[in-house]
Amino acid sequence: MINDKILFEIEQWAKQMLADCDAGHDWWHIIRVRNNAKAVHAIEGGDWNTILLAVILHDIADTKFFDEVESLMLIERKLKEHHIDAEVLDHVIKIIQNLSFSKQWCDTSFTSLELSVVQDADRLDAIGAVGVARAFSYGGHKGRDFYNPAIPPQEYASADEYRNSNSPTINHFYEKLLLLKDKMNTKSGMAMAAQRHQFMEEYLKQFFKEWGE
Ligand code: ADP
Ligand code: NI
């Protein structure tokens, strides 16, 4: 069992680590993902401590902002420092290693109920109204165009290609965000994704109407 003091200390550390990320990958993202995870876990089950630790720490190893190998070592060290059970620690690390959308291009075979819950919770925060805000926040952070009719959405052949693309932000909806509803792991995650997906469809319709297409 993780007591409140340990949880607080791990949270403070994570908050500090995420301080320089864009507004879509800040501490509020973690709070929203935790709320999503709570709702999914209430129906799907799984070990809550493992889910909670993975949620709190998941973006510290995000390759958009951190060196993955170094970050995983720091996370492991932090969890050991607080005497987190070895089995839980190992599971948390595996979840973090396998969570990202970009892992679809990697040879990963790890699955668990807890990974399913955390991944659905993270993906729910990538879609809907918050998803729109996060996409434009990240696009702005990278200095990307909103939209360019001359640049169509792409199909990427590798994680590196996906990461290094300079596509306009609207393309990201077609390259990732609109695909997520069919990639949810759990029934409850899928149900929660449906309305958020519909909102994005309506948002894009309005965007193109205003653009004049
Ligand atoms: P994961 O969190 O599964 O690793 P990504 O790194 O692809 O997934 O994306 C996380 C979030 O970062 C997205 O949901 C989106 O808000 C933002 N993001 C990532 N890549 C882009 C992009 N090319 N354009 C706009 N937003 C992006
Ligand atoms: Ni995340």
Side-chain angles (χ1 to χ4, degrees):
M1 196 58 198
I2 306 164
N3 68 40
D4 288 349
K5 185 171 175 285
I6 290 177
L7 198 57
F8 178 78
E9 281 175 18
I10 294 174
E11 280 178 0
Q12 290 309 302
W13 178 72
K15 211 184 246 187
Q16 211 181 315
M17 291 291 287
L18 296 172
D20 292 332
C21 299
D22 82 303
H25 294 83
D26 63 357
W27 187 246
W28 291 112
H29 167 59
I30 304 301
I31 291 174
R32 291 189 303 269
V33 175
R34 189 176 59 191
N35 289 339
N36 294 341
K38 214 181 261 180
V40 176
H41 169 261
I43 299 166
E44 308 291 339
D47 178 54
W48 177 246
N49 279 335
T50 304
I51 293 169
L52 183 57
L53 286 173
V55 166
I56 292 169
L57 300 168
H58 79 276
D59 268 340
I60 292 174
D62 187 326
T63 53
K64 291 190 296 307
F65 302 101
F66 301 96
D67 176 86
E68 190 179 0
V69 176
E70 193 186 315
S71 293
L72 287 170
M73 262 165 46
L74 290 177
I75 291 169
E76 194 175 334
R77 197 193 302 162
K78 184 53 67 181
L79 293 176
K80 278 189 177 151
E81 190 184 308
H82 290 291
H83 308 289
I84 301 298
D85 180 75
E87 215 175 292
V88 172
L89 188 156
D90 185 54
H91 195 171
V92 168
I93 296 284
K94 284 210 174 81
I95 292 172
I96 296 172
Q97 277 175 317
N98 288 279
L99 197 64
S100 174
F101 185 74
S102 59
K103 297 291 174 179
Q104 66 184 293
W105 290 283
C106 306
D107 182 23
T108 52
S109 56
F110 177 76
T111 57
S112 75
L113 174 57
E114 288 77 8
L115 168 61
S116 294
V117 173
V118 178
Q119 194 169 53
D120 279 4
D122 192 34
R123 288 180 169 177
L124 283 167
D125 204 52
I127 59 177
V130 169
V132 172
R134 292 183 72 215
F136 286 104
S137 166
Y138 187 75
H141 178 75
K142 293 294 231 180
R144 291 179 185 162
D145 287 347
F146 286 166
Y147 177 52
N148 182 339
I151 305 176
Q154 295 173 50
E155 270 190 31
Y156 300 104
S158 70
D160 279 348
E161 242 187 54
Y162 169 71
R163 278 279 174 258
N164 298 329
S165 158
N166 246 336
S167 287
T169 301
I170 285 290
N171 293 21
H172 191 61
F173 286 80
Y174 298 93
E175 291 165 0
K176 175 188 174 188
L177 307 184
L178 292 170
L179 311 180
L180 290 181
K181 82 166 171 45
D182 294 327
K183 288 181 177 283
M184 302 302 283
N185 303 298
T186 67
K187 264 197 179 153
S188 45
M190 217 176 274
M192 287 167 77
Q195 197 265 331
R196 295 181 190 215
H197 179 87
Q198 199 188 331
F199 175 86
M200 288 194 299
E201 298 264 28
E202 277 161 30
Y203 172 80
L204 289 167
K205 227 185 270 171
Q206 180 72 18
F207 184 95
F208 291 124
K209 195 169 146 192
E210 292 176 17
W211 193 276
E213 280 208 341

